[in-house]
């Protein structure tokens, strides 16, 4: 599953993924594609499942990543599980 997110910036500061997004299957089959993002602020403290692709973006992340990350730069307060 590819989830395309458009816009030069994106923020996620509330909410949670439930159900099938919290499975090992989702982590290995979901790609978050931030097509043209320059900045991403994921500061909800929640878990992101799947791969995050944003080669031109600075990512500020608070929480747990259950998957891989490809970004221009990363400020991480939490864990990354590949």
């Amino acid at each position: 599953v590819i989830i395309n997110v458009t816009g030069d910036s994106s923020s996620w500061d509330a909410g949670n993924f439930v159900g099938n997004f919290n499975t090992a299957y989702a982590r290995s089959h979901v790609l978050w594609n931030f097509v043209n993002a320059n900045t991403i602020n994921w500061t909800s403290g929640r878990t992101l499942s799947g791969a995050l692709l944003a080669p031109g973006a600075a990512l500020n992340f608070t929480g747990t990543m259950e998957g891989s990350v490809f970004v221009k730069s990363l400020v991480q307060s939490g864990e990354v599980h590949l």
Side-chain angles (χ1 to χ4, degrees):
V1 175
I2 298 173
I3 301 170
N4 288 315
V5 182
T6 59
D8 63 354
S9 66
S10 180
S11 295
W12 184 277
D13 60 6
N16 198 11
F17 292 104
V18 296
N20 289 334
F21 270 103
N22 291 327
T23 65
Y25 183 86
R27 290 190 290 272
S28 63
H29 289 85
V30 174
L31 172 66
W32 295 87
N33 183 26
F34 289 82
V35 179
N36 50 359
N38 295 315
T39 57
I40 302 169
N41 292 302
W42 188 288
T43 57
S44 66
R46 306 295 184 172
T47 299
L48 171 68
S49 293
L52 189 148
L53 175 63
L59 173 60
N60 178 18
F61 191 91
T62 303
T64 303
M65 291 184 191
E66 298 287 354
S68 56
V69 182
F70 184 79
V71 293
K72 183 176 179 180
S73 66
L74 172 64
V75 174
Q76 170 73 10
S77 297
E79 302 174 0
V80 177
H81 302 150
L82 301 175

